[in-house]
Amino acid sequence: MEIKLTEKQLMFVEATQDEVLFGGAAGGGKSFAQVVDALLFALKYPNSKQLILRRTYPELERSLILLSLQIYPKEIAKYDAAKHLWKFKNGSLIEFGYCDAEKDVTKYQSAEYDVIRFDELTHFTEFQYQYLLSRVRGVNNYPKQVKSTTNPGGVGHMWVKARFIDGHEPNKEWQDETGRRFIFIPAKATDNKFLMQADPDYIKRLEQLPENEKKALLDGSWDIFEGQVFVEFRRDIHVVDPFEIPKHWRRFRSIDWGYNDPTCVLWHAVDTEGRAVTYRELYINHTPASDVAKLIVEMSKGEEIEYTVASPDMWQKRGLKGFEGESIAETFLKNGVPIIPADNQRILGWQRIHEYLKIQPDGLPMWRCFSTCHNLIRTLPAAVYDKNKPEDIDPNCEDHALESLRYFLMSRPRKSIAVEPKTIKIVPFDPLRTPKRRKRSFMHL
């Protein structure tokens, strides 16, 4: 075979780091590099296993699968369309998979791969990526890697930017505190000499895009975020260091329930002006309802909670008709956490969050959160609009903390009552002052 690669594509193929990200702009040759790299790895390491992922299967069919069918030699490999699997004569396997909903990661729960490859990484949530990292394992001594390609934008823009872009020099390896090695290899259309020769007008078409989209796809800029929902959010304003909540502030809880998907419990307090602060979070999955309720009780010790608002699906009965067991809400009540159904109007709820994020005339917003609420801080600025419902959030977003926050704000929490300071009258001591004697009455017999 004669395979021609650009300089940046060759860097991607030769990258040995634990986690590799390639791309950043349209036309950099990302898909071709991913498919070729998978082929070369399969040939070099007999009986190796690789997984190539897109968010949905139709996206795979239109791109990577079609490309592999054009490139891979039929003399050494056969494609099983039913299993979406390339089988090589040396025993190596390349599997094509998808991971649409967050719970789809459990399809790979017992799998082992030498390399997992994410195409368009920013289309995945951080939860999906973190979970699938654990599938990169095996008893052989082959390299174990995660190699990804992407453009800026999408539901995963913020976490990908934080993991690979912020504070790191492109084309240079760095390590985290555990010793894992990372590298980001940027590539633009102008780096792809084969595309420039075949389609010299490609750049002109990109230049016609709206300004933000042009910066992302033409320049590979990560500082813009096309489709971001909560553009008002500013970490320096909305995130505060923990402080002691005054005792007279009203306290509330909100719950977005999940089992395979995370359950998110948030604790909130409201001051005398109606400003809210989210001061604690519980973010947990694969935990029975009774155990979650007990954790909530333990974490709320010494606090007086006005009410706990929760996702309406917690009142659904479980089991076959006529043999239903208790609902999640009933389980919570039995374990010391009474809850009330949330107002589940999504679009109105997102609008309410916008209102609370807005900076008021005094320079402060109506809502802030403690810096210890890591998942809320991580997912709030990462939310993007649904392309099919322009006023709603994309269902592919990791929105569990956002749902919990929405439930709380839609409950219209009352502001706290100001505590009037007690006044004590102090009489100066006068040593010449004679205390009044009480009159005594005598009974004569």
Side-chain angles (χ1 to χ4, degrees):
M1 292 182 63
E2 182 182 359
I3 299 176
K4 295 181 179 180
L5 298 173
T6 67
E7 181 181 346
K8 292 298 181 70
Q9 287 172 335
L10 183 60
M11 285 183 65
F12 176 71
V13 169
E14 294 180 342
T16 61
Q17 288 77 14
D18 300 294
E19 297 182 40
V20 181
L21 180 65
F22 175 55
K30 301 180 299 296
S31 297
F32 185 81
Q34 193 75 277
V35 170
V36 168
D37 190 28
L39 171 63
L40 296 177
F41 189 95
L43 297 178
K44 184 175 182 179
Y45 299 103
N47 298 303
S48 62
K49 293 182 66 177
Q50 299 180 76
L51 174 65
I52 302 179
L53 287 164
R54 279 292 294 257
R55 192 70 196 239
T56 66
Y57 185 71
E59 290 173 322
L60 276 172
E61 282 190 311
R62 292 192 298 265
S63 56
L64 299 181
I65 291 178
L66 182 61
L67 188 57
S68 71
L69 288 169
Q70 297 170 351
I71 295 175
Y72 289 4
K74 308 306 183 292
E75 297 83 2
I76 59 172
K78 182 179 179 181
Y79 183 64
D80 186 332
K83 296 182 178 179
H84 319 309
L85 187 71
W86 277 99
K87 299 180 180 179
F88 289 77
K89 288 187 175 180
N90 67 355
S92 292
L93 301 174
I94 298 178
E95 177 185 349
F96 291 98
Y98 67 94
C99 207
D100 192 358
E102 288 200 325
K103 62 184 178 182
D104 288 339
V105 296
T106 58
K107 295 187 299 185
Y108 307 99
Q109 191 167 10
S110 59
E112 294 184 356
Y113 300 98
D114 297 295
V115 181
I116 291 182
R117 302 175 182 276
F118 289 87
D119 192 51
E120 293 300 346
L121 182 59
T122 55
H123 292 186
F124 294 83
T125 69
E126 187 173 15
F127 171 77
Q128 291 172 315
Y129 185 81
Q130 292 280 17
Y131 183 93
L132 288 164
L133 280 179
S134 64
R135 306 302 97 195
V136 181
R137 56 184 182 172
V139 296
N140 59 44
N141 60 354
Y142 295 166
K144 300 293 183 287
Q145 293 179 281
V146 179
K147 304 187 82 169
S148 306
T149 53
T150 199
N151 292 327
V155 298
H157 177 97
M158 294 298 291
W159 75 261
V160 173
K161 181 174 181 286
R163 192 178 188 92
F164 290 95
I165 312 301
D166 293 341
H168 306 296
E169 186 178 349
N171 303 315
K172 298 289 185 180
E173 178 186 304
W174 75 90
Q175 296 185 12
D176 65 9
E177 62 278 1
T178 68
R180 285 183 66 80
R181 300 179 301 133
F182 299 76
I183 192 170
F184 168 55
I185 304 170
K188 300 180 182 180
T190 51
D191 295 317
N192 189 347
K193 60 182 180 181
F194 306 114
L195 175 64
M196 293 296 95
Q197 292 170 1
D199 188 3
D201 292 332
Y202 182 71
I203 298 294
K204 294 179 181 178
R205 293 197 295 275
L206 291 180
E207 289 174 342
Q208 303 304 312
L209 293 171
E211 188 62 25
N212 282 352
E213 195 172 350
K214 182 175 72 173
K215 288 180 179 178
L217 297 181
L218 179 60
D219 303 328
S221 172
W222 288 84
D223 294 326
I224 58 89
F225 189 180
E226 188 71 27
Q228 185 179 21
V229 177
F230 301 111
V231 294
E232 306 94 338
F233 179 81
R234 288 178 54 184
R235 188 178 293 263
D236 59 332
I237 291 178
H238 294 96
V239 179
V240 297
D241 292 331
F243 58 85
E244 185 175 352
I245 304 291
K247 289 185 178 180
H248 66 281
W249 286 16
R250 300 184 191 274
R251 301 185 187 220
F252 308 85
R253 292 182 303 223
S254 58
I255 303 172
D256 182 56
W257 167 255
Y259 184 79
N260 286 326
D261 290 339
T263 290
C264 181
V265 186
L266 298 176
W267 282 256
H268 320 270
V270 177
D271 68 11
T272 56
E273 296 179 351
R275 284 187 159 98
V277 59
T278 301
Y279 63 91
R280 186 185 298 139
E281 76 170 13
L282 173 64
Y283 206 77
I284 191 171
N285 65 337
H286 297 144
T287 306
S290 57
D291 290 341
V292 174
K294 290 172 184 175
L295 270 173
I296 293 172
V297 171
E298 179 67 24
M299 295 172 69
S300 304
K301 271 187 178 179
E303 298 180 335
E304 183 178 339
I305 304 297
E306 293 274 321
Y307 56 75
T308 302
V309 64
S311 42
D313 59 359
M314 294 177 69
W315 277 263
Q316 294 177 358
K317 294 289 187 179
R318 295 172 292 173
L320 299 173
K321 188 174 182 180
F323 300 93
E324 296 95 341
E326 66 184 20
S327 66
I328 299 294
E330 290 169 327
T331 302
F332 268 62
L333 179 60
K334 280 174 57 177
N335 288 275
V337 183
I339 58 178
I340 59 175
D343 183 336
N344 200 24
Q345 299 181 78
R346 287 176 61 86
I347 293 175
L348 289 179
W350 307 138
Q351 292 173 358
R352 181 64 58 84
I353 294 178
H354 283 297
E355 287 295 326
Y356 271 78
L357 289 173
K358 187 170 65 175
I359 306 300
Q360 303 301 307
D362 62 0
L364 295 175
M366 292 299 293
W367 173 87
R368 292 180 294 174
C369 73
F370 280 10
S371 58
T372 50
C373 299
H374 302 295
N375 293 287
L376 180 56
I377 295 168
R378 175 176 60 83
T379 56
L380 180 65
V384 296
Y385 283 109
D386 186 343
K387 294 180 180 178
N388 299 316
K389 298 178 181 179
E391 293 187 39
D392 204 353
I393 287 179
D394 191 319
N396 292 320
C397 289
E398 187 179 349
D399 60 359
H400 317 295
L402 306 186
E403 296 278 21
S404 186
L405 178 62
R406 173 169 68 88
Y407 296 153
F408 163 63
L409 296 180
M410 285 293 283
S411 73
R412 295 165 179 80
R414 293 182 300 161
K415 65 182 180 180
S416 300
I417 299 173
V419 176
E420 293 292 336
K422 293 183 179 180
T423 57
I424 302 174
K425 186 177 181 180
I426 301 176
V427 179
F429 175 71
D430 183 357
L432 300 178
R433 177 174 171 268
T434 304
K436 292 182 180 180
R437 293 184 178 182
R438 294 182 181 178
K439 291 182 180 180
R440 295 184 181 183
S441 59
F442 299 92
M443 183 181 292
H444 297 278
L445 297 175

